[in-house]
Every structure is written in structure tokens, then in C-alpha cells.
Amino acid sequence: MGKRSKQRKEVNVSSLTKKQKKHLKDFGEQHPFYDQVSNVQERTQLVELPDSSENESHSESEAESEEENANMYQQLLATLKHVSDDEEEEEDEEEEEDDEDQMQDENEQLSSNAEEEDSEEEQEAEGDEDVQEEHVAEGEEQGDDDKPTEPGDPAQEDGEEFTDSKHETKFCLETNFLEEDAEGQKNETAEPSVITSEDPFKKHIDRELEEDEVNQITGNPKTSSSLKWPALGQLVFSSALKNVHPLKSEKETDLTKLHLRKPLDSTWPRVNSSFPTGESNPNFTALQRELFTVMNSYKDLYYPSRMATAQGEEVRHIYCLHALNHVLKANAQVLNNNSKKRDQKTALDDEELRDQGLTRPKVLIVVPFRESALRVVQLFISLLEVPGKKVDVSNKKRFKDEFGSDPEDRPPNLKRPEDYEAIFAGNIDDHFRIGLSILQKSVRLYSPFYSSDIIIASPLGLRTIIGSEGEKKRDFDFISSIEVLVIDQADIYLMQNWEHVLLLMSHLNLQPKDSHGVDFSRVRMWNLSNWASYYRQTLLFSALQDPQINSIFNKHCFNYSGQVAVRNMPVTGSICHVLVQLPHVFQRLEADSVLSVIDARFKFFTDKILPQYRDAIMSHTLIYIPSYFDFVRLRNYFKKEELNFAHICEYTDKPGISRARQFFLKGERQFLLVTERFHFYKRYMLKGIRNLIFYELPTYPHFYSEVCNMMKAWNKGEEATWTCTVLYSKYDAQRLAAVVGAERTAQMLQSKKNVHLFVTGENN
């Protein structure tokens, strides 16, 4: 028996027959089948199965059935493989032992292996960081003990079972029906919250596009028209279809006539009471009312004035109201049709029951940090809470622990600008995603994506699920039927990784690879025709206008209802906020195309600008570089030319930052290269600046004045020798207008002169 290990290596454990698998699952032991030469029967080996396996074996079908539990089989198979390897090691080391002692050791090893696997599964369910690197969704892989993950979830690990059948049934759209109203009014036709033919939701969803209209959307140029509203300012409405109704400013203030689904018509005034509203419209601020007019018309919206310090929360409140209103209406339509189908009092046409997409998620909200997701979820819960009736929220404690923050975590005595405090408040982790199921008076947090109505995620959190071309574990079917997309604080993604946003947009509303259990008789025809992108409403909010953000709105938004973009040009510019007395020299460089600007700027800088600053007199020169790729290129050039310089970027550690700042302050390094992302994330005061070069105009206009005002920290009576040089091209028109104003920008771009001078500060 001591030599049996050699024979075992030749046996493929996966070749078990169905009877052997059935015997193993039913009795926890396997038939002896390893001895193929000797007729001597082996002792049976006891296999200790996890408790969850024993429970689920009762609900399985017969062994001969084709619907065997694949995950259970993988767990058992993994156990057997571990057993074989461990037994071989033990037998090689202890060949001299007798048979009884050896079998006892093997059984003990089996038990310990089973316990180790159980503990490993629990660690995976609690979400360790290593599992996150393998594209496991944070919101789904971390589960409470009584609320594990559901199969079909793209973030689910192999072998994980879903046992939360109670909650799954409760939040399943297919098995639920529309409940009667609390007042007992079953006939809801007169209720203002019921979906009527005048409801913008029903008008938008029920319209069937013709193929020639789809061809117009994809092939025809958009026609645009301008209009001006009191709060939003200058609007540009564009559409590829000629029969789309233009946008009109609505003055309606009665919530019952705004087609809000219950209970939003009663909870919204309370939730929104923290913002000052006028007497004419007590339920909305002026900005919210105009934003909701655009949202409720189901047109795409681009609002580039969503400042973190000013109107950020107002905007968040209004898009949460619209998103939740959309989900409640969509779910009510499904539940109502379920009731009709169950009652069967009248003959129903199959087309009347087409009320859903190919997958359940309807709303995708993209936010940069966990703190933003926390506030969105809190708003949803508040909007669903009727006074006197609490909303049933599952996994609420876990959500608060993972998305909340401890005030003690923040370092004390940090003096940072107001916008920095607003952006980086709370939990600023940028890798997360979470699904929400909303059904009548209940909310389920951490619901698997294919059972969710709303998905809240960061670009990085979605990127690790969507994956890249060629990766085995990737999934994007869950965003195939998104009807409302909200991208909030889009400017921050420029400071994170814009490629993640582009990847998301290219994978939205694609035809799913699997059916995911959908009832095709209930799927809308335009979903089946792969036209979901023409019905999707995109709401894009940013603190600034940027060509990359504009391209998302222009190239990835095909809503047949049209697009509305706010286009307010800055009048003054951030240069007016520079407090130091400083000459600003703007030098224009020539480039033939957008792609050639990068090389043209580098050549212009190295040939014409840098030679002026190589002299020792021009020491203490800070070079501000928005792009990290330009930073690397300049750093390598400075090393090649053996220039005396230091450099700081967002990846530099604290000791490196301290050394570079000290060398620059003391004049031991003539140049200091700094990236814009470093300034965005740190906002350190860099002392010792005498000469300032903007290699490119800043992404955020107020960064221009912030960096210039750092010169105040070096006030030794040498203000007269300070300089500031800015490089720009005709393709930097938006950034230039944000710094010097729209009128001056037009003059600078049309002028025959390539050099323009501005002087700031008080004249003595």
C-alpha cells in the first residue's frame, strides 16, 4: 500500500462517472477505484463536505439529470485533487508507516483541506485586495454572512453559490406584482403617479423608430439651434431628426403634473428643502427646475458648470430624482403587466407586454469616489422614505462601513483651497461598484448586477469588470440595456484615467453574448434590434469645458430625442485672480493639426523657450506640465541635456517630494518640473518660484491663478525680476478663454502677432 502513490498519479480524477459523483454527494465517501491491478479493496476515504453543499444537495434534481450543480462539482473536485497531492507527499515521507496509521492521516488531511477551503471562501466573500485584482466586483464579492452572492453576477468568483433565496424572490421582477395603493385604490387610472400616455417616460420608451430614422441619426449631420434660459444661460439644442420637438422652458411648479412616480411627489420637497427656493417655485431652485425640464424630456444633457463648491449638491439631487423616477416607472410597468398576465381577464396582445430590456440594469451612475456613491444612495433612500414608513434597506450597515469615512482619518491642520475640500471630502477610494435593486418600498444594496436596477460605479471599478480585448474574465452584458447614463464630475476623470471612460462608452448598449435568463417575449423590439443606444439618455456633468469631454457628448450620444449642451463662455477669466505683480507673456505656437500640436509644442519649447532660461540668472524656474506624457518627455530631455533640475509627479513618494522642494527652494536645482495631477491631488505650496513656465494651459482655469500666487511665498523684494511664460496654440481656445476671457481669446487667436503681454497686480 505504501507504493500506491505512483498508480494514483496516473488516474484522472475528473473521469468520475455520474454514479460515482452521485455516491460522493449523497454519502460523503467515494467508491474505491484507484487499485486497477490488485483485487484487494481499499479502505474508503471519508470526505467532509461544507454545510452549504449539504443544504443545496436537497434542492438539486436527480443525478442522472443534466442540470447538475457545476459549482458544487468544482468544489468537490478541487477537494479530491488537494487530497491526492497531499497524500502523495505524506506517503513519500512516511513509507514505513502501517496502513491503518496512514489512512487515519489521510482522513485528517481531508478534513483540514475542507476547512481550509471553507475559510478561503469566507475570505473571498469578505473581499480581500488580491481578489479585487482578478476583476471581482467590490459590491458583490463582499457579502454579509447571510447574504452571499448570486450566480450570473459578472463579479462572482468561480465556485461561489448564492443562497439568499429569500431576498432574491422579494426583488425579482418576474415573480412580483404591482401592489395596491395604501389607501386601497386599486383603480389607479386617475392617480397622478401612474404612467399615462402623456408621461414623457412612456412617450420616449414606446416610440418605435423606423430604419430610415436610425440611418439619419448615424449618417446625417445634426442641425442646431440656440436659445437662452435664465439659470442655465446659453443652450445649444441639436438633433439629427427633423421631426424632434424643440426644447421649451416649462413653468409648471405643481409636482402632481410633473409625472413623478409615488412616493417622489411627496418626499421630494422634504429632501430638497436644504436649498433656497423662490416663492414662485417652492419645490425647485431655478437651476434645478431648468435641469429637470431637460431631463424629463429625455434629451441628452451636457452641463459644464457643475462646480464642486457651488451647485454640486443641487445637481446631484436633481439627477437622483430623475434616475429614481425612471426606475420606479419602468418597474411599475413590468409589475403591472405581471398582474395583467396573472389575472388574464382580458386577452392581451404580446406587444403590450414588451416592457423591458435584454438585461435588468436600467440606470448607470458613474461617480469618481466612494463618498459620491454614498451620497447618491442616501438620496435614493431619503426619496423613498415616506414619513411614518421606513424603507426596508438590506445590507445598510455593510454599505456604511465600506463607503463611509471616519473623521479621524483626515490629517488635522491641513490648509487647502475650498474646491479641494469639497472634492476630497469623505472616502476618496476610486475603485468600487455596487448594484441596487428597487422594488416598491424596499431597497437592496449589493445586489448582483443582473438583478439590479441601478449600478453606481467608478470608471476604474467598471474597467476591471469590462476588461480588455483578449482577457478571459470579462463581462459587459450588464450594461447592454442602460436607458439612463449619468456621468457626474467628468472633469475629475481627466485627473484619474480618461481611457476608462472611453472604454465604458465603447461597450455601452452592445448586444449581450448570453441570454441571462431573459424572457424574450417581454423584451422591447428596439432592444432586440440592437437600437438601445438611440434611446439611451446621457446626462453629463462637468466643472469645465474640455475637448475630451466634448468628444464623449458628440461621438457617443445618439439619443433620437436630441442633445442639449450648455455653452456659456467665460467673460473675465482666472487671470483676474492673480494677486502678484507679474508680467504674463503668452506665446503662440503654430501647428497644422491637433495631433501635430504635441511635437510642435516640444520643439517650440526646446528651441525657443528653454534657451532663455538656461542662464544661471534665470534660476528658480518652475515648469507646469498638464500632461504626464509631456512630463516624461521633458524629464528625459533634461536628463539627456544634463540640466540641473528636480521633478515631482503624482507618483513621487513623500521623501522625494520633500527633497525636490528643498533643492528648488535653496536654489540647488535650477528647474523644477511639476505635473498638473500632482497639484490636483496635493495642492502643496511650492516656495521659491521666480520664473514660471506653463508648458500648456492648465485643465482647470483656477489652477493658473493658484500657481501664480505661489510666488507670494517668495517675497524678498525681487518682484521686478519675476516672469511668467505661457505656451498656447489655436487648438487651446477653450482653455485660453477660461484664463483670459472669451473676448481676449478671439483677439489673440486672430492677431498676426504671436506674443501677447498681460500684467497683473497693483502698480506701485
Side-chain angles (χ1 to χ4, degrees):
M1 294 293 289
K3 303 294 183 182
R4 202 176 63 230
S5 61
K6 294 182 180 179
Q7 296 177 356
R8 290 190 181 186
K9 292 180 181 178
E10 300 174 358
V11 177
N12 185 6
V13 183
S14 62
S15 62
L16 286 170
T17 65
K18 285 190 175 181
K19 283 189 177 181
Q20 288 168 337
K21 298 173 192 173
K22 173 67 175 175
H23 188 90
L24 181 59
K25 286 187 284 188
D26 288 348
F27 302 103
E29 61 183 23
Q30 55 181 325
H31 287 297
F33 61 94
Y34 283 115
D35 280 342
Q36 299 178 358
V37 178
S38 174
N39 293 326
V40 180
Q41 201 176 42
E42 294 181 16
R43 287 183 173 86
T44 58
Q45 298 181 8
L46 300 179
V47 180
E48 187 173 320
L49 299 178
D51 294 338
S52 60
S53 303
E54 295 175 3
N55 294 337
E56 294 189 10
S57 64
H58 295 295
S59 62
E60 289 183 349
S61 58
E62 294 298 325
E64 289 74 21
S65 168
E66 290 300 323
E67 299 178 358
E68 288 190 33
N69 192 322
N71 291 330
M72 177 70 67
Y73 171 62
Q74 290 173 2
Q75 290 182 10
L76 295 176
L77 191 58
T79 306
L80 288 175
K81 287 181 180 177
H82 285 306
V83 171
S84 301
D85 296 338
D86 293 333
E87 283 180 342
E88 288 168 10
E89 292 177 5
E90 285 184 9
E91 288 170 351
D92 288 339
E93 294 173 359
E94 303 176 3
E95 285 187 13
E96 310 301 330
E97 290 189 0
D98 61 348
D99 296 344
E100 266 192 358
D101 292 338
Q102 186 176 8
M103 293 305 298
Q104 182 178 357
D105 292 338
E106 291 172 357
N107 290 334
E108 291 175 357
Q109 186 65 33
L110 280 169
S111 301
S112 65
N113 282 337
E115 292 173 359
E116 287 177 5
E117 288 178 6
D118 289 343
S119 64
E120 288 174 2
E121 290 175 4
E122 291 173 0
Q123 290 175 0
E124 288 177 1
E126 292 171 359
D128 57 88
E129 294 180 359
D130 294 336
V131 176
Q132 291 180 1
E133 294 297 326
E134 298 175 2
H135 301 178
V136 181
E138 247 174 78
E140 290 76 31
E141 95 270 305
Q142 303 173 354
D144 294 344
D145 293 337
D146 58 339
K147 296 174 177 63
T149 318
E150 181 185 38
D153 181 6
Q156 170 185 343
E157 274 290 303
D158 291 339
E160 252 185 83
E161 288 297 323
F162 178 76
T163 57
D164 190 14
S165 55
K166 179 179 123 180
H167 285 91
E168 181 60 17
T169 304
K170 179 180 179 182
F171 286 91
C172 181
L173 278 179
E174 290 78 9
T175 58
N176 276 273
F177 306 94
L178 191 64
E179 292 182 358
E180 295 184 14
D181 197 31
E183 289 80 10
Q185 298 174 344
K186 188 168 184 177
N187 183 12
E188 295 181 323
T189 54
E191 289 296 315
S193 61
V194 168
I195 306 169
T196 63
S197 59
E198 296 300 317
D199 195 319
F201 164 81
K202 190 167 182 62
K203 285 183 178 180
H204 183 73
I205 294 296
D206 287 353
R207 177 176 174 182
E208 294 291 341
L209 290 175
E210 301 294 336
E211 191 165 350
D212 61 334
E213 291 180 312
V214 173
N215 294 333
Q216 289 180 38
I217 295 173
T218 55
N220 288 2
K222 297 178 181 178
T223 58
S224 302
S225 59
S226 298
L227 55 157
K228 192 168 185 178
W229 285 6
L232 289 177
Q234 195 72 29
L235 303 183
V236 177
F237 170 71
S238 58
S239 174
L241 298 181
K242 297 180 180 179
N243 57 351
V244 174
H245 297 292
L247 192 65
K248 294 182 179 179
S249 178
E250 295 185 7
K251 307 296 183 182
E252 183 62 61
T253 60
D254 188 358
L255 291 179
T256 59
K257 297 180 181 179
L258 293 178
H259 303 281
L260 291 179
R261 183 76 190 172
K262 286 187 174 181
L264 303 181
D265 51 354
S266 60
T267 59
W268 171 251
R270 170 179 52 83
V271 173
N272 201 50
S273 59
S274 57
F275 302 109
T277 57
E279 295 181 2
S280 59
N281 193 351
N283 299 317
F284 299 92
T285 65
L287 175 65
Q288 287 177 332
R289 185 64 192 92
E290 294 184 4
L291 287 175
F292 188 73
T293 298
V294 181
M295 294 179 188
N296 208 30
S297 67
Y298 279 89
K299 292 175 172 57
D300 292 339
L301 171 65
Y302 175 28
Y303 181 65
S305 302
R306 188 252 193 249
M307 307 303 294
T309 54
Q311 304 152 334
E313 286 304 313
E314 282 185 62
V315 172
R316 198 196 316 272
H317 274 63
I318 200 66
Y319 75 65
C320 283
L321 172 69
H322 175 66
L324 189 57
N325 191 37
H326 179 86
V327 168
L328 292 176
K329 289 178 181 178
N331 285 356
Q333 191 177 39
V334 174
L335 298 177
N336 192 35
N337 285 341
N338 288 349
S339 302
K340 291 179 181 178
K341 195 174 180 180
R342 176 191 59 180
D343 297 339
Q344 294 182 347
K345 292 180 180 179
T346 57
L348 292 175
D349 185 4
D350 290 342
E351 295 302 318
E352 294 181 11
L353 297 179
R354 294 193 179 275
D355 50 17
Q356 52 195 273
L358 289 163
T359 52
R360 180 169 171 178
K362 310 166 187 65
V363 174
L364 174 61
I365 300 178
V366 183
V367 289
F369 303 117
R370 284 181 181 260
E371 172 68 18
S372 307
L374 174 70
R375 296 186 184 185
V376 168
V377 172
Q378 288 175 340
L379 276 173
F380 285 153
I381 296 173
S382 300
L383 286 169
L384 290 171
E385 272 189 344
V386 179
K389 297 179 183 178
K390 266 211 162 186
V391 177
D392 181 18
V393 182
S394 61
N395 299 323
K396 191 174 181 179
K397 181 181 182 301
R398 172 187 162 198
F399 174 74
K400 186 178 179 181
D401 293 340
E402 294 180 4
F403 283 76
S405 62
D406 191 345
E408 297 179 358
D409 294 341
R410 184 171 181 80
N413 302 325
L414 280 181
K415 294 182 179 179
R416 294 291 184 267
E418 187 181 1
D419 68 298
Y420 181 92
E421 298 288 348
I423 292 173
F424 295 102
N427 191 333
I428 58 171
D429 178 31
D430 64 348
H431 186 191
F432 63 90
R433 54 245 167 185
I434 182 172
L436 280 74
S437 298
I438 298 174
L439 208 59
Q440 301 182 54
K441 302 181 180 72
S442 303
V443 177
R444 180 191 189 193
L445 304 177
Y446 295 100
S447 60
F449 282 178
Y450 290 102
S451 299
S452 301
D453 297 302
I454 301 174
I455 295 173
I456 306 172
S458 65
L460 176 59
L462 291 170
R463 168 66 177 79
T464 51
I465 294 181
I466 296 174
S468 300
E469 198 70 35
E471 292 184 9
K472 292 183 179 179
K473 295 184 67 175
R474 59 187 309 225
D475 189 1
F476 44 85
D477 286 358
F478 61 93
I479 54 175
S480 62
S481 298
I482 295 297
E483 297 162 6
V484 176
L485 169 66
V486 180
I487 302 180
D488 195 14
Q489 296 177 274
D491 53 287
I492 295 181
Y493 310 138
L494 296 172
M495 300 293 111
Q496 293 177 343
N497 193 330
W498 189 251
E499 293 295 326
H500 298 337
V501 180
L502 297 178
L503 185 79
L504 166 64
M505 299 304 296
S506 63
H507 286 80
L508 271 170
N509 299 119
L510 299 181
Q511 203 78 349
K513 295 182 178 180
D514 299 318
S515 63
H516 303 286
V518 67
D519 181 1
F520 286 98
S521 66
R522 300 286 294 272
V523 179
R524 304 183 193 96
M525 291 306 298
W526 51 264
N527 282 103
L528 296 175
S529 302
N530 198 22
W531 290 351
S533 59
Y534 307 119
Y535 287 79
R536 187 192 74 232
Q537 181 188 31
T538 303
L539 306 176
L540 186 57
F541 302 101
S542 170
L544 51 89
Q545 292 199 32
D546 187 87
Q548 296 181 83
I549 302 176
N550 293 342
S551 69
I552 290 290
F553 194 69
N554 295 329
K555 296 181 180 180
H556 294 276
C557 297
F558 306 102
N559 189 350
Y560 79 84
S561 294
Q563 288 80 32
V564 177
V566 179
R567 303 292 186 191
N568 293 320
M569 296 301 294
V571 179
T572 55
S574 61
I575 196 171
C576 298
H577 301 290
V578 177
L579 303 178
V580 295
Q581 186 174 348
L582 183 66
H584 305 258
V585 179
F586 286 76
Q587 299 209 20
R588 187 176 67 201
L589 57 98
E590 300 298 332
D592 298 329
S593 65
V594 177
L595 296 178
S596 65
V597 168
I598 298 174
D599 292 331
R601 181 179 284 110
F602 178 76
K603 183 173 175 43
F604 185 84
F605 176 80
T606 54
D607 293 349
K608 297 185 178 181
I609 303 299
L610 190 58
Q612 304 173 19
Y613 290 84
R614 285 200 176 194
D615 197 311
I617 301 176
M618 306 297 289
S619 62
H620 296 275
T621 300
L622 183 139
I623 305 176
Y624 182 93
I625 312 168
S627 170
Y628 181 76
F629 300 105
D630 289 335
F631 166 79
V632 173
R633 190 176 188 178
L634 282 181
R635 183 189 63 190
N636 294 341
Y637 178 82
F638 275 50
K639 287 181 179 179
K640 180 183 176 181
E641 295 293 318
E642 297 182 349
L643 296 175
N644 185 21
F645 78 103
H647 56 86
I648 303 175
C649 70
E650 58 270 27
Y651 303 112
T652 309
D653 56 14
K654 286 187 177 181
I657 295 173
S658 298
R659 286 194 299 270
R661 294 174 70 186
Q662 284 298 318
F663 289 153
F664 183 69
L665 176 62
K666 295 178 180 179
E668 297 178 18
R669 298 289 186 271
Q670 183 177 355
F671 296 96
L672 177 62
L673 307 184
V674 177
T675 63
E676 184 172 66
R677 288 185 182 180
F678 169 78
H679 182 67
F680 175 79
Y681 283 107
K682 300 298 183 182
R683 306 291 178 94
Y684 286 172
M685 176 65 70
L686 300 175
K687 298 180 180 180
I689 305 173
R690 295 180 187 173
N691 305 290
L692 182 59
I693 301 175
F694 284 94
Y695 185 77
E696 185 182 0
L697 285 160
T699 304
Y700 286 90
H702 63 277
F703 283 3
Y704 184 89
S705 56
E706 282 184 10
V707 176
C708 290
N709 288 330
M710 288 182 186
M711 291 184 167
K712 289 191 301 182
W714 182 263
N715 191 358
K716 294 187 176 181
E718 300 177 355
E719 293 89 341
T721 61
W722 289 349
T723 65
C724 177
T725 302
V726 185
L727 308 187
Y728 74 97
S729 72
K730 61 182 179 181
Y731 299 105
D732 299 323
Q734 287 183 335
R735 294 188 181 186
L736 185 62
V739 172
V740 301
E743 186 176 344
R744 288 174 177 172
T745 297
Q747 295 173 359
M748 293 169 66
L749 294 178
Q750 295 171 5
S751 174
K752 295 181 180 180
K753 296 180 180 179
N754 292 332
V755 180
H756 299 269
L757 176 65
F758 295 85
V759 179
T760 58
E762 297 181 358
N763 295 322
N764 293 328

